[in-house]
């Protein structure tokens, strides 16, 4: 019978826990190894190891000489170390390249957003400048009010002059004639 997709599967209980493989575990170990191999501490440890190895095998301290003069075993250790170090360093570099690529993409997107924001703000500032050129400034309003006041004063004086003239030629003057 085919299993139905709309019902959950029964949970299986096992006595042995399942091993969850972390795909980044090897990468993290490779980065830690490459980071350690690039330090002065590693060079100091390696130099000390080689000095002790050569001293014990050349002089024969404590009666030990497991690797005589050409130091074939030491050379084998270095070869094994190099054969593991090179791929681990390359793996660490690849992971760093991936992080750099993601970071570069995020920087590019951030730069595009900043450019869009800057262009928007420039358009807004231009619109405000255009709008402000159409808005009356304080000096413009003052000059317009001054002109209106002068016009009103002139009209009032004209009206007073006509009114004074009308009273001189008004009904009292016509009665005298």
């Amino acid at each position: 019978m085919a299993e139905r997709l709309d019902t959950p599967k029964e949970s299986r209980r096992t006595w042995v826990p399942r091993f969850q493989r972390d795909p980044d575990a090897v990468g993290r170990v490779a980065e830690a190894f490459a980071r350690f191999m690039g330090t002065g501490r590693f060079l100091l440890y390696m130099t000390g190891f080689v000095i002790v190895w050569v001293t014990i095998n050349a002089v024969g301290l404590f009666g030990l000489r497991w690797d005589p003069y050409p130091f074939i075993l030491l050379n084998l250790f270095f070869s094994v170390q190099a054969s593991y170090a090179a791929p681990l360093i390359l793996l660490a570099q690849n992971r760093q390249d991936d992080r750099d690529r993601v970071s570069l993409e995020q920087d590019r997107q951030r730069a595009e957003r900043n450019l869009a924001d800057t262009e928007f703000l420039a358009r807004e500032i231009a619109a405000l400048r255009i709008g402000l050129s159409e808005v009356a400034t304080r000096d413009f309003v003052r000059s317009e009010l001054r002109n209106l006041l002068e016009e009103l004063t002139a009209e009032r004086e004209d009206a007073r002059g006509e009114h004074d003239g009308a009273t001189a030629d008004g009904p009292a003057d016509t009665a005298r004639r």
Side-chain angles (χ1 to χ4, degrees):
M1 176 171 134
E3 291 184 30
R4 292 184 50 143
L5 296 176
D6 62 346
T7 58
K9 282 184 157 185
E10 294 179 17
S11 63
R12 295 181 182 176
R13 293 193 178 202
T14 60
W15 295 100
V16 179
R18 288 189 177 186
F19 176 69
Q20 297 291 331
R21 188 178 76 84
D22 184 10
D24 286 337
V26 174
R28 285 193 302 269
V29 168
E31 285 177 342
F33 181 75
R35 199 173 298 120
F36 175 68
M37 284 189 70
T39 63
R41 181 182 295 179
F42 173 76
L43 290 175
L44 186 66
Y45 290 164
M46 187 58 83
T47 302
F49 175 76
V50 169
I51 289 172
V52 168
W53 185 282
V54 169
T55 302
I56 289 175
N57 285 293
V59 177
L61 290 177
F62 313 114
L64 300 174
R65 290 189 80 182
W66 66 87
D67 192 18
Y69 167 66
F71 305 118
I72 304 289
L73 188 58
L74 181 62
N75 192 9
L76 179 66
F77 285 157
F78 284 152
S79 297
V80 169
Q81 178 193 8
S83 69
Y84 277 100
L88 288 174
I89 290 171
L90 287 174
L91 178 63
Q93 286 177 343
N94 288 340
R95 285 174 54 94
Q96 185 62 43
D97 287 344
D98 292 341
R99 280 194 298 272
D100 290 344
R101 191 175 306 111
V102 167
S103 176
L104 239 158
E105 178 64 24
Q106 289 173 348
D107 288 346
R108 186 187 61 76
Q109 289 172 352
R110 191 176 307 116
E112 286 177 357
R113 284 192 308 266
N114 287 342
L115 180 64
D117 290 345
T118 303
E119 288 174 352
F120 172 76
L121 290 174
R123 285 192 302 271
E124 288 295 315
I125 289 172
L128 286 173
R129 284 184 177 168
I130 290 170
L132 282 176
S133 68
E134 296 173 1
V135 172
T137 62
R138 180 176 43 175
D139 293 335
F140 175 75
V141 170
R142 282 184 181 165
S143 67
E144 289 296 314
L145 286 175
R146 201 172 293 123
N147 291 341
L148 283 174
L149 183 61
E150 289 172 3
E151 287 177 16
L152 286 173
T153 305
E155 286 178 11
R156 181 182 280 165
E157 287 175 3
D158 287 346
R160 221 183 255 162
E162 287 178 10
H163 181 62
D164 289 344
T167 55
D169 291 336
D173 288 339
T174 52
R176 283 188 229 160
R177 286 189 196 170

